[in-house]
Amino acid sequence: MQLPRDLIETIFHFAAANSKDFCDSICKVSTWSRSLAQCYLFVTLTITDAKSHFQALQITTGNIPHQPSQLTPGALVQNIWMDHFAESFVYIFGNCPNLRNLAIWCHMFESLANASNQAALKRLSEEAISRTQELHLFFITHENCGWTTDLFSAAKNSFIFPKIKRLQFSQIWDYRLFHFSSFSLLTHLALPCSDMRCHTIDGIDWLLKNAKNLEMLVVILMIDSLDEGERQKVENFILDKRHVQKGSVLYGYSTLSLDVQTEWFEETKGALSIWERAIQYTERMVHQHFLVQPKIECFDPIPLPHELIEIIFHFAAADSNDFCQNICRLSTWTRALAQRHLFVTLTITNPRSHFRALQLSAGNILHQPSQLVPGATVQNIWMDHFAESFVFIFENCPNLKNLAICFHAFMRLDHASSRTALIPLSNEAISRKQGLRLLFIIKENVASDAVNLSQTISFIFPRITRLRYSWTGNYAEIPLSRFSLLTHLAVPYTASQFDIFEETVPQLWDATQHLKMLVMIIMVDQLHALERRDVEDYIRMNRCTSNPGERLYGYAMLSQEVQTEWLEETKGGLDIWERAVQYTEQLVDQSRRA
């Protein structure tokens, strides 16, 4: 049965809008599918580094590769998260006429407020100033700049203040710093409560008295910064206000400070907004506080053994990070059960996750049970930046199993057992008995460093039992013969010359002695169909020969899925070796049937 073209297009539109990964994938399939899905790639701009900043400038300028003539990328942008490059914000804002959600720093907002001034260095066009739009603004600032008398005195003359209908802060020093009079059309306001010295009950009361036109005032309880007593005090105040004043605009909501960005992005994809979550949270609070559950007389509940409850919680927390975070918020008891599962995998890709990893490995976390050593619970690390900190983190994580690191981080670890090392490892860390699975995740110029590496006497080489590359190159640059206990090796194939591949495989067999599996990872997004078929035919042919060909396996994947599959593997999914066995068996079966 052939589906109508209109239905296929509808399915593609819906799926692309719902999933950025799906959208990115079908953009690579064909010109037709790219024209359908490309617009959804530009709905949300995340500007956090130089690369994403350059891409945002290209999109808002309308300068993107393979751009359909009828497509205006800037007009498709609805959401912007921008925590760097403030100097470009006014320009980007001016080229995005359909913006709805902004997550920016205070000084970016200040430059935007002044952009309608005739004397402004970066002035907006009259068309941009006169737009009719409703903006939801989120301040992600880590400083108090922007909240000055000069800024608010200019509010009457600025075009931007009347456009702000909903406003959320990630930080604010004092509730009394907020000027309600400036935001004349503001209907929703959300403020954090993370420090009772600044975010007082009196401050919340002041907000209520001055919130003349607000429909919702949400107090966000940062549960990783407040203790149980402080949180209960604020919740009781909210309950009292809602009990005394029917239809009160005051609501509560609790979250972790680390989850704020994640929740914002989920909201832009259609998930519940902060306002909807606050309504649900407050309704639960009221229900639990004021209502008595009816007693059910039809049967007596069967109490589960305490040990069984703990096993269920441990299993669920280990399987789902979302479940783990949720039960960490319920009570001290559930937090003690689940907290260790939050630290099983460290993903270090930016300064924030790097700082958090340093805190964990140093044992410096909030509300830490006395018997919990966070570093000892870490089993997996993905670290594609900050190689200079890797030795310290490795030192404090004695139960590591899976490492995904760049080559230079590995080299630092290799030298850490030397007496001349700048950051030496302790004898206890060097003498650990552990088998490690290693993935090199960044392509670097390793040739010169590999020479020095091959001349050192290191503790780390005999620990590596399974090794995998995410980049191609001359694999002989790294001395594979040094990995004396290596049993599994996986290398990607993206080369356009098949004869290079045929030369590579014998070199890899010669470089390793105890290898049980050699997996050639076929990067399907970097090969033509004929090249992929040549590699698969080579693997089939070698599987039919004697040793070592029977130990050669294949596996096909997209290059951008390396991290996703690695993280799934750490959660108990099939690892690269199991997937390679299944894929190769399918290749052989197809050959036999043919």
Side-chain angles (χ1 to χ4, degrees):
M1 181 181 68
Q2 187 174 4
L3 293 176
R5 182 185 177 90
D6 292 345
L7 179 57
I8 295 173
E9 290 191 3
T10 302
I11 294 170
F12 270 39
H13 278 302
F14 180 80
N18 191 54
S19 170
K20 190 77 174 283
D21 291 336
F22 177 86
C23 183
D24 189 49
S25 297
I26 65 172
C27 278
K28 299 170 182 174
V29 173
S30 68
T31 306
W32 172 74
S33 61
R34 182 183 181 89
S35 65
L36 285 176
Q38 193 176 40
C39 57
Y40 297 105
L41 286 175
F42 312 134
V43 171
T44 300
L45 299 184
T46 308
I47 306 170
T48 56
D49 53 28
K51 183 177 181 181
S52 57
H53 177 233
F54 178 71
Q55 289 173 340
L57 290 175
Q58 283 187 305
I59 290 168
T60 53
T61 307
N63 180 24
I64 58 172
H66 313 297
Q67 178 180 328
S69 57
Q70 74 279 11
L71 183 66
T72 306
L76 301 171
V77 178
Q78 298 180 19
N79 317 294
I80 293 179
W81 177 286
M82 189 170 184
D83 55 21
H84 286 80
F85 310 102
E87 65 279 359
S88 305
F89 176 64
V90 172
Y91 173 80
I92 292 174
F93 181 90
N95 288 285
C96 299
N98 298 310
L99 273 175
R100 295 172 58 189
N101 294 287
L102 280 177
I104 56 175
W105 284 37
C106 280
H107 58 269
M108 296 182 190
F109 181 75
E110 186 172 5
S111 64
L112 188 61
N114 294 320
S116 57
N117 192 324
Q118 292 288 344
L121 292 175
K122 299 172 183 176
R123 192 174 186 277
L124 280 172
S125 66
E126 291 300 327
E127 183 275 330
I129 293 171
S130 59
R131 288 175 198 150
T132 302
Q133 59 188 143
E134 178 181 308
L135 291 174
H136 299 176
L137 179 60
F138 176 39
F139 283 119
I140 52 179
T141 181
H142 297 283
E143 85 299 333
N144 204 38
C145 75
W147 298 108
T148 62
T149 304
D150 292 340
L151 174 62
F152 288 113
S153 64
K156 294 180 180 179
N157 301 319
S158 177
F159 76 103
I160 191 62
F161 283 89
K163 296 181 186 290
I164 308 301
K165 300 296 179 71
R166 303 189 178 195
L167 178 59
Q168 180 184 350
F169 288 78
S170 68
Q171 293 185 8
I172 188 170
W173 292 116
D174 191 325
Y175 296 145
R176 293 178 178 83
L177 290 173
F178 187 75
H179 289 231
F180 281 101
S181 59
S182 301
F183 296 89
S184 55
L185 299 182
L186 188 69
T187 60
H188 293 64
L189 176 63
L191 298 170
C193 181
S194 58
D195 187 344
M196 294 299 290
R197 293 170 298 180
C198 307
H199 307 146
T200 62
I201 296 296
D202 290 340
I204 301 174
D205 202 33
W206 179 88
L207 289 170
L208 282 173
K209 291 176 181 177
N210 288 273
K212 304 300 182 183
N213 300 319
L214 279 188
E215 298 173 10
M216 286 187 72
L217 172 61
V218 179
V219 179
I220 306 173
L221 303 167
M222 297 299 182
I223 57 178
D224 51 342
S225 301
L226 299 173
D227 61 36
E228 198 71 29
E230 291 171 332
R231 175 183 169 187
Q232 194 64 50
K233 183 178 179 181
V234 178
E235 288 184 343
N236 287 338
F237 176 79
I238 295 171
L239 290 168
D240 290 343
K241 285 292 182 181
R242 295 191 67 81
H243 183 62
V244 172
Q245 182 182 353
K246 302 301 180 183
S248 173
V249 300
L250 185 60
Y251 293 81
Y253 176 64
S254 69
T255 187
L256 292 169
S257 55
L258 292 173
D259 289 344
V260 171
Q261 182 176 1
T262 303
E263 290 179 353
W264 186 89
F265 280 110
E266 289 300 319
E267 182 177 334
T268 63
K269 295 177 183 177
L272 292 179
S273 67
I274 179 70
W275 321 107
E276 294 167 317
R277 295 194 300 270
I279 290 172
Q280 291 184 356
Y281 185 88
T282 307
E283 287 177 348
R284 286 197 302 268
M285 276 201 311
V286 172
H287 186 74
Q288 293 169 3
H289 188 77
F290 293 110
L291 298 182
V292 179
Q293 296 292 335
K295 186 176 180 181
I296 300 175
E297 302 289 351
C298 57
F299 65 91
D300 293 327
I302 303 173
L304 290 175
H306 190 273
E307 294 82 358
L308 180 57
I309 295 174
E310 289 194 1
I311 291 172
I312 294 171
F313 270 39
H314 277 306
F315 180 82
D319 186 62
S320 169
N321 199 53
D322 291 337
F323 177 85
C324 186
Q325 289 184 356
N326 288 332
I327 65 173
C328 278
R329 298 167 182 162
L330 291 179
S331 67
T332 307
W333 174 70
T334 55
R335 184 182 181 91
L337 282 177
Q339 193 176 42
R340 69 191 64 186
H341 297 292
L342 285 175
F343 314 137
V344 170
T345 300
L346 300 184
T347 307
I348 306 169
T349 57
N350 54 44
R352 186 174 187 177
S353 56
H354 177 230
F355 176 71
R356 186 182 180 212
L358 292 175
Q359 283 186 306
L360 291 177
S361 52
N364 181 23
I365 58 172
L366 294 171
H367 312 299
Q368 177 180 330
S370 57
Q371 73 278 12
L372 180 66
V373 181
T377 66
V378 177
Q379 297 180 18
N380 317 293
I381 292 179
W382 176 286
M383 189 171 184
D384 54 21
H385 288 79
F386 312 104
E388 65 279 359
S389 305
F390 178 63
V391 173
F392 172 79
I393 294 174
F394 182 89
E395 165 85 38
N396 290 284
C397 300
N399 298 311
L400 278 173
K401 294 181 179 178
N402 293 287
L403 285 176
I405 56 176
C406 61
F407 178 76
H408 289 305
F410 180 77
M411 197 182 75
R412 286 175 182 269
L413 190 62
D414 172 60
H415 292 304
S417 59
S418 169
R419 294 179 180 177
T420 60
L422 292 175
I423 307 176
L425 278 174
S426 65
N427 289 330
E428 185 274 331
I430 293 173
S431 60
R432 290 175 196 151
K433 295 181 179 179
Q434 57 189 145
L436 292 173
R437 300 183 179 190
L438 176 63
L439 165 63
F440 286 125
I441 52 177
I442 296 181
K443 183 174 182 179
E444 301 159 299
N445 185 14
V446 302
S448 58
D449 294 325
V451 172
N452 297 327
L453 191 68
S454 64
Q455 296 173 352
T456 61
I457 299 175
S458 173
F459 77 102
I460 191 63
F461 283 95
R463 303 273 181 88
I464 309 300
T465 58
R466 302 191 179 194
L467 176 62
R468 178 181 169 192
Y469 295 78
S470 66
W471 41 267
T472 55
N474 183 3
Y475 305 111
E477 289 177 352
I478 297 179
L480 291 175
S481 58
R482 295 285 304 282
F483 295 90
S484 56
L485 298 182
L486 188 67
T487 59
H488 294 65
L489 176 64
V491 292
Y493 174 65
T494 60
S496 59
Q497 296 178 332
F498 183 69
D499 55 348
I500 296 177
F501 168 73
E502 289 185 298
E503 294 174 4
T504 299
V505 173
Q507 290 176 2
L508 294 174
W509 286 125
D510 294 340
T512 52
Q513 299 177 359
H514 307 289
L515 211 57
K516 297 178 181 178
M517 284 187 71
L518 172 58
V519 179
M520 302 306 299
I521 306 174
I522 305 165
M523 295 301 186
V524 294
D525 53 333
Q526 299 181 29
L527 291 174
H528 296 299
L530 290 176
E531 292 174 326
R532 175 178 175 180
R533 189 180 67 186
D534 287 341
V535 177
E536 290 178 341
D537 288 343
Y538 179 88
I539 293 170
R540 287 193 193 97
M541 180 184 68
N542 276 266
R543 293 290 299 175
C544 299
T545 64
S546 58
N547 186 59
E550 61 188 16
R551 291 177 283 158
L552 180 64
Y553 294 81
Y555 177 61
M557 66 180 297
L558 295 171
S559 55
Q560 67 266 27
E561 291 179 351
V562 172
Q563 182 176 8
T564 303
E565 292 193 354
W566 186 88
L567 290 173
E568 287 299 319
E569 181 179 331
T570 63
K571 293 178 183 178
L574 292 179
D575 61 28
I576 182 70
W577 321 105
E578 293 168 317
R579 294 195 298 269
V581 170
Q582 290 184 355
Y583 186 86
T584 307
E585 287 176 350
Q586 291 172 0
L587 285 180
V588 174
D589 288 343
Q590 291 171 3
S591 178
R592 288 170 179 168
R593 286 196 298 269

